[in-house]
């Protein structure tokens, strides 16, 4: 999930896998596959960079390695 800001400064999280389109209208408009639309304060370029970082993170092989579980002593 990526964090974005609605036009009323409310923060929310969006699943990039469900985004159909990002437009500059001149505000940034994100259209979801469900038909829902969100206007956000971030620029199209910033949204694109957050998507890019999200996909880099989930495709990073090092992230898939199981981390040792710490036990209370």
């Amino acid at each position: 999930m990526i964090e974005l800001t609605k036009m009323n400064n409310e923060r929310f999280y969006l699943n990039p896998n469900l985004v159909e389109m990002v437009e500059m209208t001149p505000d940034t408009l994100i259209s979801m596959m469900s038909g829902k639309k969100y206007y956000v304060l971030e620029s199209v370029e910033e949204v694109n960079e957050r998507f890019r970082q999200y996909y880099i993170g989930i495709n990073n092989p090092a992230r898939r390695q199981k981390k040792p579980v710490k036990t209370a002593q």
Side-chain angles (χ1 to χ4, degrees):
M1 303 284 268
I2 63 167
E3 185 178 27
L4 295 170
T5 312
K6 293 182 183 179
M7 300 303 277
N8 64 359
N9 286 315
E10 179 183 333
R11 296 261 186 207
F12 73 107
Y13 291 89
L14 184 90
N15 183 342
N17 296 315
L18 302 177
V19 171
E20 183 176 354
M21 184 182 335
V22 180
E23 303 173 69
M24 185 171 38
T25 66
D27 297 319
T28 304
L29 174 63
I30 301 175
S31 300
M32 306 301 288
M33 287 193 273
S34 67
K36 191 160 187 165
K37 297 181 185 294
Y38 297 96
Y39 281 99
V40 297
L41 294 175
E42 290 80 8
S43 68
V44 170
E45 292 80 12
E46 190 172 348
V47 171
N48 184 46
E49 178 60 22
R50 290 184 189 187
F51 285 177
R52 192 175 79 75
Q53 290 300 319
Y54 169 80
Y55 286 113
I56 287 171
I58 64 171
N59 290 315
N60 183 352
R63 182 184 158 148
R64 287 185 221 135
Q65 294 176 357
K66 292 190 176 193
K67 295 180 181 176
V69 177
K70 293 183 179 180
T71 57
Q73 296 183 6

